[in-house]
Amino acid sequence: DQQVKQNSPSLSVQEGRISILNCDYTNSMFDYFLWYKKYPAEGPTFLISISSIKDKNEDGRFTVFLNKSAKHLSLHIVPSQPGDSAVYFCAASGGTGNQFYFGTGTSLTVIP
Amino acid sequence: DTAVSQTPKYLVTQMGNDKSIKCEQNLGHDTMYWYKQDSKKFLKIMFSYNNKELIINETVPNRFSPKSPDKAHLNLHINSLELGDSAVYFCASSQVNYYNEQFFGPGTRLTVL
């Protein structure tokens, strides 16, 4: 039972344009969300997070939006750069402990 | 200076064998994890240890046994390996506080033949 879903396995974007990666979740107890970036043959690295008390968090070119009523979050990358090409995982946590549930990832390709 | 390291990076073995994967973190974190990423790219938690104590144990066959000799190390031992165990295994660590991201190791790609 997958509680965090990333329905787009891949996305291609031209350099300089906006990349929008989407994530949906089913558990209304989730109150903390993170995005991780993963390059081939490396582990995921933390990118940006948001707690449920906010609907937006921005860090440089990266912005995460949270729509609690729709149980949806998105990661915007503006402007996209070729170095952003990687797999992006959405993760969510809530309730007890610090157990995170991950989506299956979206592979982003930024075309120069 | 590697924060979370895993050895080996690649592991190829026959069905029925027993193997171990080691993980070490030098971040001073309280909590360590093992994740499995299967062929569908689904990253799923297996175990979590906090200060050498098991706090999360998802539905994992008991052929998998984590061992934490100290809070900087969390090893994963797998008995009687099966074809379905082929996956990439990631170790991670974090501070115990709830709103802290996890730091991942580079992964160990296990192939069972």
Side-chain angles (χ1 to χ4, degrees), chain A residues 49-57 65-68:
Chain A
S49 64
I50 189 167
S51 75
S52 60
I53 61 171
K54 293 185 172 183
D55 53 20
K56 176 182 173 182
N57 188 27
F65 294 92
L66 176 61
N67 182 334
K68 289 187 289 294

Side-chain angles (χ1 to χ4, degrees), chain A residues 3-111:
Chain A
Q3 300 189 57
V4 177
K5 296 178 183 178
Q6 294 175 255
N7 292 319
S8 298
S10 62
L11 175 68
S12 290
V13 170
Q14 289 286 337
E15 181 179 3
R17 299 286 185 101
I18 184 172
S19 295
I20 300 176
L21 296 95
N22 293 305
C23 177
D24 297 293
Y25 61 96
T26 58
N27 190 337
S28 57
M29 294 294 291
F30 287 153
D31 61 0
Y32 188 58
F33 306 88
L34 307 92
W35 285 93
Y36 283 83
K37 178 178 179 179
K38 184 184 178 307
Y39 291 118
E42 294 182 13
T45 54
F46 170 73
L47 189 59
I48 192 169
S49 64
I50 189 167
S51 75
S52 60
I53 61 171
K54 293 185 172 183
D55 53 20
K56 176 182 173 182
N57 188 27
E58 194 171 349
D59 183 2
R61 297 185 297 112
F62 302 90
T63 303
V64 56
F65 294 92
L66 176 61
N67 182 334
K68 289 187 289 294
S69 60
K71 296 194 181 68
H72 176 84
L73 63 156
S74 60
L75 174 68
H76 291 211
I77 307 173
V78 183
S80 301
Q81 299 173 354
D84 296 330
S85 297
V87 177
Y88 290 79
F89 288 95
C90 169
S93 185
T96 58
N98 50 358
Q99 180 171 350
F100 287 92
Y101 296 86
F102 283 79
T104 49
T106 296
S107 178
L108 173 66
T109 302
V110 179
I111 303 164

Side-chain angles (χ1 to χ4, degrees), chain B residues 1-14:
Chain B
D1 200 18
T2 307
V4 182
S5 59
Q6 293 178 231
T7 52
K9 197 166 174 64
Y10 299 96
L11 185 53
V12 181
T13 187
Q14 298 285 335

